[in-house]
Amino acid sequence: MDAARRLPTSIATVCLSGTLPDKLEAAAAAGFDAIEMFENDLLTFNGSPAEVRRMCSDLGLRIAIFQPFRDFEAMPEPQRARNLDRAERKFDTMQALGTDLVLVCSNVQPAAIDDPARAAADLREMAERADRHGLRVCYEALAWGRHVSRWRQAWEIVRAADHPALGLCLDSFHTLALDDDLSGLAGAVPAERIFFLQLADAPRLSMDVLSWSRHHRLFPGQGELPVAQFLSDLLATGWAGLLSLEVFNDEFRAAPSRRIARDGQRSLIWLMEQAGLAPLPALPDFSGIEFAEFAVDAAARQELGRYLGGLGFRHAGRHRSKDVDLWRSGGANLVLNAEPDSAASERFEQLGPAVCALAFRVDDPDRLVGRAEALQYPVWRERIGEGERRIPAVRVPDGTLIYLVADPAHSERPIWEDDFILETAAAEPAPLLGIDHAAQAVAPGVMGTFVLFYRALFGLEPETPWELPDPYGLVRSRAFTSRDGSVRLPLNVSESSRTGTGRFISALAGAGVHHLAFAASDVTRVLDGAGERHAALLDIPANYYEDLNARFGLDGDELARLEAHHILYDRDAEGREFRHAYTRQFRDRIFLEVVERGAGYTGFGAANASVRMAAQRREASS
Amino acid sequence: MDAARRLPTSIATVCLSGTLPDKLEAAAAAGFDAIEMFENDLLTFNGSPAEVRRMCSDLGLRIAIFQPFRDFEAMPEPQRARNLDRAERKFDTMQALGTDLVLVCSNVQPAAIDDPARAAADLREMAERADRHGLRVCYEALAWGRHVSRWRQAWEIVRAADHPALGLCLDSFHTLALDDDLSGLAGAVPAERIFFLQLADAPRLSMDVLSWSRHHRLFPGQGELPVAQFLSDLLATGWAGLLSLEVFNDEFRAAPSRRIARDGQRSLIWLMEQAGLAPLPALPDFSGIEFAEFAVDAAARQELGRYLGGLGFRHAGRHRSKDVDLWRSGGANLVLNAEPDSAASERFEQLGPAVCALAFRVDDPDRLVGRAEALQYPVWRERIGEGERRIPAVRVPDGTLIYLVADPAHSERPIWEDDFILETAAAEPAPLLGIDHAAQAVAPGVMGTFVLFYRALFGLEPETPWELPDPYGLVRSRAFTSRDGSVRLPLNVSESSRTGTGRFISALAGAGVHHLAFAASDVTRVLDGAGERHAALLDIPANYYEDLNARFGLDGDELARLEAHHILYDRDAEGREFRHAYTRQFRDRIFLEVVERGAGYTGFGAANASVRMAAQRREASS
């Protein structure tokens, strides 16, 4: 990163869970320069403000601001006088804390007077008093403020108050949640009058803005608001201050503070790239998923081999130095890793047989490793034998590895030829084309961490979310996809522990890949072509095919063929078709799918998910 | 219940979790007369419609309707013709199922034509075809229908179509969610043209109506919509049909179907009372909580006695025939039950020492028992010794018992004199007044069951909900209170397992009373008056008192007295005061509170909850 343009970072204590010492340690460990001291975290702490100051100083953290000071301006007497007394008390606290800035957010009280001149006079009086203590005040428009809800209103009041100890506080959420932006800021507001900046993202939700703000804020990059544009517009004023995160989120409050603080820091590093402040090694170009790797032992390897054979996979090679086998069908590669003392064996010891790695084909693995390091994501390098290719990897937050292999277009030769003794390939009657998608179960409360990982590090973008009705609860699914569509990763989350996703999460100790889908040009041929070794396919009820008939009017032959092969069918609004079939589960850990994707069809057959999930539940209980 | 006016009941399969057979069995076990066959539950079922018909018939269930048939009316050709074909297919399915009615909900497609006459013509054509099969069609306005979203519009179309096989379907959610009602129905719509009625309640949420409907519907009485008024308005037409529940709720989807089905049936029994259809034994008049009972063994009894002594409780009596002791301070009674083979000993074996029962003082315990039986809530009668009083009880869904004791105003003499050998009461320096409130931790996903229990059976009404920021996640609290305020039960729920509430839920195997608050006329005197046996009080940080000073400007003496006694302070908008102090926890299972409630203050000091919860967390980890 270009350190010259890197701005210092800060996080509000309210973003993090735990006691105040927990929060401060987490913020320091994640590399923040400063914190916002959220008042409630001070009130609940059983030590003096001076002790807090010392703790911060020992951790190398500056207290950038004390906040919030609520419902101050434009109140009738005697509340006006009481509010000024209250401010004086808080000035004492600030001096003990060693911070010189307090945040006043716009009044929400019904009793507040709708008079910008009164608001300006009150803020001027407060600033005047603060100034006597060597302190400063900044004023922020809450999106649900009684009379002041836009930054332009707040600025007019600050401008009218006209005191050097009074400035503006900007907050991306309060601005963007009202579909507003910072247009007109540059030119109108001198940079030095912008005393503070708070950053938060959020999903777009149609709900009241107060609940939205209090429960659903996210770090930049985890949501859908144009936070990077917001920051760019601010930078256009010449402002170059502290980037401070202020997020209220129910899941963050319950999550380990170290993880959340680390994500916060990453989100700001990413945001500085997006806003053109400090570039990172560029995002990769993808060309698909080269392989998926299973952690196995000898017994599981044998069992899994039989299972894979049912879809036409064949044993295709053996690693030169390790207890690792390659299974292959056409362009789809699966690695079965039984090597002791490896990342795979660690995973096997923890979970039993499970997907322990995926490999993405990218234009430049080393550049992506550089990006991971800049974003503080852990990089993994497996030990290798002589002459073998070093394949760098990054760790998904759930422990799965993502290997980064060079696209053959950018590389001398495929990795398989260096590291594997390949068998002569027999003719395959119906080869698969490759890995179409790999779905992960994600525990509730961890989704934000996954979203940031796939989006900031890889540039994968979220697609339309789906709600899938499992017989025992709702599963929410959202795919993260590379621009070219060659890497597709549906993430599934379920609040219910009784759904299939909930059960995978239990089996996989939190999260992991539980579903691999292979692309085929003709799903029927693949299912026929597996010869003697037919996969045990998931049973699909006859009622489903009756309904297909009613909905799509498929011809009788087509319908019979689908039903005979347990194939599900979808057609999108543009008439693009999707045919797909599922295998039964392997040890309740994984299931496979073969998909035939009509040109331009970008979905995953979500309309069929309830049929699939009910069938899986029957299979699991039979 | 007046059986003559009882209407038959039905539930849509989509309300319940599990496979179709699970759903049907749960509906039958809860006493429903019929079901709505939700199409998706048929598609995912691996048996024919004829088998479903047989299963229902074996269970004594009628299939009242097949639903939904979507996006039918007012489509351009060729979709119009295709939709009629689709209808014909579904008529076949209906005949195999043995149901004669299909629900058409108003079209949501962008392509739908905004022409009521076209909609009427299409529905007439569908009804004509249905009629040839001996089937009928009903038409419902979805709240988010493209052109038809109000029942009046749907009725105009049905009226214009003018076919005897076409009628109206009414849905309380779709009407009430738009702040609409059934005014004008009686007089305008003949009862016999109302072919079907769907009932659902919901909390009032400010979100888009589609998400609200799909995820947050509730059974009547669990939410805030005027469903009883809706039903009364419908009955005014002379209509007397099936009461059918249609609820989409994420928690219901994940919950055991038997519990949800039973709640559904109870909600309709309650609704029939509320709408004046079929009376139940009347709601009780309360006069407070007579006692709380702990399940203990000999060791826990000794330890708990010491703990209670710290607040001034004294041993006050011994049960005549059982291993049960009474502890008392003024009007607050606590029972320590170590009797083997009792409800308490069952609870003790399961959980260790814990609150196993509360006793409500009511005007007529037997009438309330009758009400519980009519609502299908289990009634419990403990075995008794000769000459002892039989105290009936009902079971809270978490297994806690609620004893029903006669208000002394309605009864010969207090229960204590029959069943206990009472000690001569010594003078108490600062007696408590009674039990102010008893808070329960409730597991997420069970709240609806609790709400219905307290509301339908006891007539307790929910107060303003609070969000309490525990250091490790949010706790949502809502008190259920009797009209006279003498019984107050805050219910606390937390999605996070790391909060205090989450930890209580783990300790109490799901839910239970974890907090008892005692009323006092002077909390300082109670804390002083406990003499040598001072309760170990929860430590409150000095920062809290600094802030009290800033917020309320209390005088120095008052502030010093509060701080010295670890007392928290609140004052409401009307200036009414609340002082309260907490003990440390007893074995991570329960904590006690003494509250001094200024006249008219109805809250629980929620503003202080974060300070209390942070202090409890420090205590737990010290």
Side-chain angles (χ1 to χ4, degrees), chain B residues 197-464:
Chain B
L197 168 66
Q198 294 181 317
L199 291 166
D201 198 345
R204 292 201 183 274
L205 297 173
S206 61
M207 66 193 313
D208 71 288
V209 69
L210 178 57
S211 304
W212 187 21
S213 172
R214 291 263 166 96
H215 302 294
H216 300 284
R217 287 191 184 203
L218 292 168
F219 290 139
Q222 292 179 327
E224 301 173 275
L225 302 182
V227 184
Q229 184 60 50
F230 179 93
L231 178 56
S232 296
D233 290 347
L234 171 56
L235 294 171
T237 65
W239 178 92
L242 190 66
L243 303 182
S244 191
L245 296 164
E246 187 196 32
V247 164
F248 308 89
N249 180 296
D250 293 356
E251 295 184 348
F252 290 15
R253 284 176 183 280
S257 53
R258 292 263 176 151
R259 169 162 64 82
I260 301 299
R262 181 71 76 175
D263 279 347
Q265 185 69 261
R266 288 169 177 145
S267 81
L268 291 177
I269 295 170
W270 173 82
L271 186 68
M272 284 190 253
E273 176 199 44
Q274 299 293 307
L277 262 177
L280 299 174
L283 286 169
D285 285 331
F286 290 96
S287 52
I289 300 179
E290 176 69 13
F291 66 87
E293 178 175 319
F294 292 84
V296 292
D297 63 3
R301 177 169 54 198
Q302 198 168 19
E303 193 186 337
L304 188 58
R306 276 196 303 275
Y307 181 74
L308 298 172
L311 276 185
F313 280 91
R314 291 145 190 246
H315 189 272
R318 173 89 185 151
H319 196 279
R320 292 184 190 280
S321 68
K322 295 180 185 168
D323 191 2
V324 173
D325 293 274
L326 170 66
W327 286 66
R328 190 175 253 180
S329 168
N333 299 303
L334 297 175
V335 169
L336 275 55
N337 189 336
E339 175 72 5
D341 296 327
S342 65
S345 69
E346 259 178 55
R347 191 86 168 162
F348 183 84
E349 277 158 35
Q350 194 196 351
L351 298 179
V355 173
C356 60
L358 298 173
F360 293 170
R361 282 194 297 267
V362 296
D363 57 337
D364 184 347
D366 291 336
R367 193 180 77 230
L368 190 48
V369 165
R371 185 172 176 91
E373 284 168 342
L375 283 162
Q376 305 184 357
Y377 285 112
V379 172
W380 164 266
R381 289 183 178 84
E382 184 96 45
R383 66 180 164 74
I384 52 170
E386 203 175 305
E388 290 167 13
R389 194 86 61 89
R390 162 91 66 199
I391 312 180
V394 292
R395 253 191 213 285
V396 183
D398 64 18
T400 304
L401 288 178
I402 294 185
Y403 286 106
L404 306 170
V405 305
D407 184 328
H410 299 76
S411 160
E412 331 70 83
R413 49 196 213 138
I415 49 161
W416 309 111
E417 304 192 4
D418 283 338
D419 296 4
F420 282 79
I421 300 162
L422 295 175
E423 293 162 20
T424 315
E428 293 180 276
L432 296 168
L433 302 174
I435 296 176
D436 184 85
H437 60 276
Q440 281 164 273
V442 175
V446 190
M447 192 51 113
T449 294
F450 276 76
V451 169
L452 193 67
F453 176 78
Y454 285 121
R455 206 164 172 208
L457 177 52
F458 293 105
L460 302 184
E461 285 297 327
E463 301 200 9
T464 313

Side-chain angles (χ1 to χ4, degrees), chain A residues 289-568:
Chain A
I289 300 178
E290 176 69 13
F291 65 87
E293 179 175 318
F294 291 84
V296 293
D297 63 3
R301 177 169 55 200
Q302 198 167 21
E303 194 187 338
L304 188 58
R306 277 196 303 275
Y307 181 75
L308 297 171
L311 277 185
F313 281 91
R314 291 146 190 246
H315 189 270
R318 174 89 184 148
H319 195 278
R320 290 184 192 280
S321 68
K322 295 181 184 165
D323 191 3
V324 174
D325 293 272
L326 170 66
W327 285 68
R328 191 175 254 179
S329 168
N333 299 303
L334 298 175
V335 170
L336 277 54
N337 190 336
E339 176 71 4
D341 295 325
S342 64
S345 69
E346 257 177 57
R347 190 90 169 160
F348 184 84
E349 276 158 35
Q350 194 198 349
L351 299 178
V355 173
C356 60
L358 299 173
F360 293 171
R361 282 194 298 265
V362 297
D363 58 338
D364 184 346
D366 292 335
R367 195 181 73 234
L368 190 46
V369 164
R371 186 174 176 88
E373 286 169 341
L375 283 163
Q376 307 184 357
Y377 284 112
V379 172
W380 164 266
R381 288 182 177 84
E382 184 96 45
R383 68 182 164 71
I384 52 171
E386 201 174 308
E388 291 168 13
R389 194 86 62 89
R390 162 89 66 198
I391 312 180
V394 291
R395 254 191 212 284
V396 182
D398 65 18
T400 304
L401 288 177
I402 294 184
Y403 287 106
L404 305 170
V405 306
D407 184 330
H410 298 77
S411 163
E412 330 71 85
R413 55 201 209 131
I415 49 162
W416 310 111
E417 304 193 4
D418 283 338
D419 296 2
F420 282 78
I421 302 162
L422 295 174
E423 293 162 22
T424 316
E428 293 179 275
L432 296 168
L433 303 174
I435 296 177
D436 183 84
H437 60 276
Q440 282 163 271
V442 175
V446 191
M447 191 51 115
T449 295
F450 276 77
V451 168
L452 193 68
F453 175 80
Y454 284 121
R455 205 164 172 209
L457 177 53
F458 293 105
L460 303 183
E461 286 296 327
E463 302 200 9
T464 313
W466 291 96
E467 286 167 357
L468 313 176
D470 183 283
Y472 294 94
L474 220 59
V475 175
R476 290 171 204 271
S477 182
R478 188 156 207 183
F480 282 74
T481 305
S482 62
R483 251 163 318 176
D484 70 333
S486 70
V487 171
R488 290 187 185 93
L489 305 175
L491 304 188
N492 299 328
V493 65
S494 168
E495 298 291 331
S496 165
S497 59
R498 302 173 74 210
T499 57
T501 297
R503 287 152 53 106
F504 282 124
I505 285 172
S506 304
L508 298 170
V513 172
H514 63 81
H515 165 202
L516 288 173
F518 304 103
S521 56
D522 183 336
V523 59
T524 317
R525 280 198 61 212
V526 170
L527 300 179
D528 283 339
E532 293 306 297
R533 300 179 298 178
H534 279 304
L537 294 175
L538 195 64
D539 268 335
I540 305 299
N543 297 326
Y544 170 77
Y545 295 98
E546 292 275 345
D547 181 60
L548 270 193
N549 189 7
R551 282 195 293 149
F552 296 113
L554 298 178
D555 76 45
D557 283 359
E558 164 81 0
L559 209 58
R561 199 164 56 83
L562 294 177
E563 184 162 4
H565 290 81
H566 305 218
I567 296 171
L568 300 158

Side-chain angles (χ1 to χ4, degrees), chain A residues 16 26 57 65 68 91 93 146 174 264-265 272 274 278 328 393-394 400 428 438 443 463 532 561 573-574:
Chain A
L16 302 172
S57 153
I65 198 167
F91 294 157
T93 302
R146 184 82 180 169
H174 288 298
Q265 185 69 260
M272 283 189 255
Q274 298 295 306
R328 191 175 254 179
V394 291
T400 304
E428 293 179 275
E463 302 200 9
E532 293 306 297
R561 199 164 56 83
E574 282 73 42

Side-chain angles (χ1 to χ4, degrees), chain A residues 2-63:
Chain A
D2 177 354
R5 304 229 38 211
R6 186 187 183 280
L7 296 178
T9 60
S10 163
I11 188 165
T13 54
V14 72
C15 302
L16 302 172
S17 75
T19 62
L20 183 57
D22 293 343
K23 293 169 188 242
L24 298 178
E25 281 159 24
F32 284 97
D33 303 292
I35 57 142
E36 296 183 42
M37 185 71 240
F38 194 70
E39 182 175 38
N40 200 54
D41 285 319
L42 179 65
L43 302 190
T44 62
F45 176 62
N46 62 342
S48 68
E51 282 171 63
V52 175
R53 176 186 199 158
R54 199 158 46 240
M55 280 162 49
C56 287
S57 153
D58 291 348
L59 290 163
L61 291 169
R62 186 160 68 81
I63 303 180

